[in-house]
Amino acid sequence: MNRGSSAASCPASAPGDSQGSGLGRRVCSNCRKVLRQEKKIRVSLPLTRGPSAFIPEKEVMQANSLNERMHLLVEEFSTSGRLDNITRVMGLHTQYLESFLRSQFYMLRMDGPLPLPYRHYIAIMAAARHQCSYLINMHVDEFLKTGGIPEWLNGLEYVPQRLKNLNEINKLLAHRPWLVSKEHIQQLVKTGENNWSLPELVHAVVLLAHYHALASFVFGSGINPERDLDTSNGYRLISVNNFCVCDLANDNNIENSSLTSNNFEISDSLSELEALMDRMKRLQEEKEEEEEEASQEEMDTRFEKEKTESLLVVTEAFDDEIGSIADVSRYVEDPGFGYKDFGRRGDLPTFRAQDYTWENHGFSLVNRLYTDIGHLLDEKFRMVYNLTYNTMATHEDVDTTMLRRALFNYVHCMYGIRYDDYDYGEVNQLLERNLKVYIKTVTCYPERTTKRMYDAYWRQFKHSEKVHVNLLLMEARMQAELLYALRAITRHLT
């Protein structure tokens, strides 16, 4: 697929003032050079059709039109009263969608420690850490509908101090959750007029983790802004979670972009698929033939090797400064704070999953302090982890357990979480470099995700299978954030 890199290949730009919030944000470096010279250019982007900029519209619509169950779920659990683009894309996996909508509805609508406007404002604060205007816009509307004070939308300086006090834990959970400590919890729940009760704090933490992870899904799946009536001449001003202008423009035809490959590319991607199938088969056979399990020392070495190699997975360079984006920066404190590789800090101990597991520790704590949310989250984690159709691209009757576990555990590895009983050698065998780049970007810097990254891995796989990958990444990320936060709360209690 040919994609030129010159700024001339971008769609026509309209002259205007320089106050557009998206100016130069989701534009590639070559385009940005031109924009720096033309301060008054406001970049406009043709609306791509359908719910996703990455997935052909007909694939999503065909699945949705036949899916009566999805429409019933939306009627029962939608918080916005309509079928939004996230739901349309998740509708490719209705079993999972049910768990997702049920838990999200509970967090936002059902009885809980926090008042409704607080819930939506916390969602805005979480989404703003990743510059996710799609989620920000959605929850600005919901905040106002549930009786939120409009003045709060002017920025963090207009909100109550107790909400401002969430800034630190929001920042840490979004980018470096391993830094969350019992001292952060003590600071929030200490006696005083702005303190948080533990149930309120757990509700807030669940919302923060949910919306950080959902931002990963929005960017990873190329979720388009909803069509609305204020679009001018079929164009929308580029916003902070649209995709690089030339990245999309050079696809020319989003509908057919994934189908137009030359014979060499098809042959190459088929050989990739066959190679992956062979590796899975060989690993399974080796497991069955092994008379003795690898020593703990050897398992330690394999984890450390994978953690170190994850440092070498470099994503595209972006200017991560949020401060220039007015509609986002108002909800963000310390905009320059971002993800830094866990493994670069030798003084931080690895989080041994066996010492604090979701099943034995996190679940019971969260369920005790925020009734029933533990059951809903547990169902969602189990659903995505076990979800399978026993297919891989054109192959049927395939056991994909090994592949799903590698995806989930690789995310946790990047967050410094280690499973003693898992052989991290499998990660290198099963996840090729383009996929690792994609995983790291979607999980750690979701706002940098491009269609090129999405197209570059698993080229023979169905779009629904790639959406399943995004669901796994989203839930692995959410669980990692919750494990760190809940461990800190446990330490505070003990």
Side-chain angles (χ1 to χ4, degrees):
M1 194 183 307
N2 293 320
R3 291 188 180 91
S5 59
S6 69
S9 65
C10 287
S13 301
D17 62 30
S18 60
Q19 296 174 7
S21 63
L23 182 60
R25 286 304 307 155
R26 294 297 298 138
V27 183
C28 76
S29 56
N30 289 318
C31 300
R32 194 177 291 118
K33 290 174 187 174
V34 175
L35 291 172
R36 286 194 187 116
Q37 297 166 6
E38 298 290 342
K39 298 290 187 184
K40 292 184 179 180
I41 286 181
R42 181 185 266 176
V43 182
S44 298
L45 180 68
L47 278 169
T48 54
R49 290 193 302 247
S52 167
F54 297 173
I55 305 171
E57 180 182 20
K58 62 186 177 189
E59 290 204 22
V60 180
M61 294 312 184
Q62 282 172 0
N64 290 176
S65 63
L66 300 172
N67 199 335
E68 292 180 22
R69 179 65 182 151
M70 183 183 73
H71 293 279
L72 290 172
L73 290 171
V74 170
E75 278 184 36
E76 187 174 359
F77 295 116
S78 172
T79 55
S80 62
R82 59 191 169 83
L83 186 63
D84 59 47
N85 287 343
I86 291 176
T87 308
R88 289 179 190 276
V89 173
M90 280 189 188
L92 294 169
H93 300 282
T94 318
Q95 280 180 291
Y96 170 82
L97 177 65
E98 182 165 1
S99 293
F100 173 85
L101 289 178
R102 196 190 305 276
S103 62
Q104 181 172 264
F105 187 81
Y106 189 84
M107 291 175 214
L108 295 174
R109 286 282 191 263
M110 301 298 284
D111 288 344
L114 294 176
L116 298 184
Y118 265 59
R119 304 180 194 194
H120 293 290
Y121 203 87
I122 290 168
I124 292 167
M125 291 171 67
R129 285 305 323 177
H130 287 305
Q131 311 167 39
C132 188
S133 62
Y134 180 96
L135 292 175
I136 292 171
N137 294 337
M138 177 184 288
H139 287 282
V140 163
D141 287 345
E142 292 297 310
F143 173 77
L144 293 172
K145 284 177 188 173
T146 54
I149 298 170
E151 187 183 24
W152 292 11
L153 299 176
N154 291 330
L156 292 174
E157 63 266 38
Y158 296 89
V159 304
Q161 184 61 43
R162 65 198 304 262
L163 266 177
K164 283 187 204 173
N165 291 346
L166 284 180
N167 279 322
E168 186 69 11
I169 200 167
N170 179 26
K171 176 180 80 174
L172 295 180
L173 283 175
H175 306 296
R176 303 176 208 172
W178 51 86
L179 297 180
V180 176
S181 68
K182 70 175 182 180
E183 286 75 24
H184 292 111
I185 306 304
Q186 288 165 350
Q187 189 68 23
L188 287 163
V189 301
K190 68 181 180 181
T191 304
E193 60 179 330
N194 297 315
N195 75 303
W196 290 76
S197 70
L198 275 175
E200 286 174 331
L201 182 56
V202 166
H203 193 170
V205 161
V206 169
L207 284 165
L208 290 171
H210 176 77
Y211 281 99
H212 296 152
L214 189 54
S216 285
F217 182 82
V218 167
F219 287 114
S221 302
I223 301 297
N224 271 328
E226 313 293 336
R227 290 179 180 270
D228 53 31
L229 298 176
D230 62 5
T231 302
S232 173
N233 298 321
Y235 285 80
R236 179 190 301 279
L237 295 178
I238 190 169
S239 67
V240 292
N241 71 306
N242 277 332
F243 307 94
C244 177
V245 175
C246 66
D247 187 37
L248 290 180
N250 291 324
D251 286 330
N252 296 320
N253 187 341
I254 293 292
E255 288 287 311
N256 296 320
S257 64
S258 64
L259 304 176
T260 53
S261 306
N262 60 37
N263 291 335
F264 174 78
E265 287 174 321
I266 292 172
S267 172
D268 191 39
S269 57
L270 278 170
S271 64
E272 282 179 351
L273 172 62
E274 297 305 326
L276 176 57
M277 294 287 294
D278 286 345
R279 287 195 297 273
M280 287 175 63
K281 183 178 178 183
R282 189 173 68 251
L283 282 170
Q284 192 58 48
E285 288 172 350
E286 287 172 1
K287 277 188 169 208
E288 291 168 359
E289 291 171 4
E290 264 184 8
E291 293 183 8
E292 295 182 17
E293 292 186 3
S295 68
Q296 196 58 58
E297 184 180 357
E298 175 61 22
M299 297 286 263
D300 291 349
T301 301
R302 292 174 189 176
F303 172 78
E304 291 301 325
K305 181 182 178 186
E306 188 53 49
K307 189 174 70 171
T308 302
E309 289 190 1
S310 76
L311 309 183
L312 306 177
V313 177
V314 180
T315 63
E316 292 185 14
F318 275 84
D319 173 12
D320 286 328
E321 179 60 51
I322 302 173
S324 61
I325 311 169
D327 59 342
V328 173
S329 63
R330 70 183 71 173
Y331 304 119
V332 175
E333 190 179 75
D334 194 3
F337 189 90
Y339 174 83
K340 298 292 182 189
D341 290 302
F342 176 87
R344 293 197 195 281
R345 266 150 294 283
D347 56 335
L348 279 174
T350 295
F351 185 131
R352 292 181 69 256
Q354 282 71 12
D355 295 339
Y356 195 93
T357 66
W358 166 255
E359 293 80 7
N360 297 331
H361 305 92
F363 167 81
S364 57
L365 176 65
V366 77
N367 222 41
R368 174 160 61 88
L369 292 169
Y370 179 15
T371 308
D372 288 337
I373 192 64
H375 291 294
L376 292 165
L377 294 176
D378 190 60
E379 179 193 342
K380 187 159 62 82
F381 293 148
R382 289 176 187 274
M383 173 60 70
V384 77
Y385 195 81
N386 295 320
L387 182 66
T388 183
Y389 306 94
N390 298 113
T391 59
M392 273 180 59
T394 54
H395 295 265
E396 297 183 353
D397 299 318
V398 182
D399 182 354
T400 61
T401 305
M402 188 179 288
L403 192 53
R404 283 179 277 125
R405 192 175 185 192
L407 289 163
F408 201 90
N409 287 1
Y410 185 57
V411 171
H412 281 199
C413 177
M414 289 188 299
Y415 280 94
I417 298 173
R418 180 198 160 186
Y419 295 85
D420 286 347
D421 61 348
Y422 182 67
D423 179 359
Y424 286 85
E426 291 183 13
V427 170
N428 259 347
Q429 291 286 314
L430 299 176
L431 308 185
E432 45 92 8
R433 183 166 182 78
N434 284 338
L435 177 52
K436 283 186 172 182
V437 169
Y438 179 80
I439 292 169
K440 187 169 185 177
T441 305
V442 169
T443 305
C444 306
Y445 322 91
E447 59 276 11
R448 300 181 183 181
T449 310
T450 66
K451 188 173 188 298
R452 285 191 190 91
M453 292 179 189
Y454 176 89
D455 287 339
Y457 83 93
W458 284 8
R459 287 172 291 172
Q460 286 300 115
F461 282 67
K462 301 168 192 167
H463 287 286
S464 61
E465 291 172 311
K466 291 193 170 189
V467 170
H468 187 187
V469 169
N470 287 333
L471 296 176
L472 276 163
L473 304 186
M474 173 174 70
E475 295 298 351
R477 177 183 178 176
M478 182 177 184
Q479 190 179 100
E481 288 190 28
L482 286 178
L483 283 171
Y484 279 111
L486 295 172
R487 184 180 68 167
I489 292 172
T490 299
R491 288 175 173 175
H492 160 70
L493 289 171
T494 55

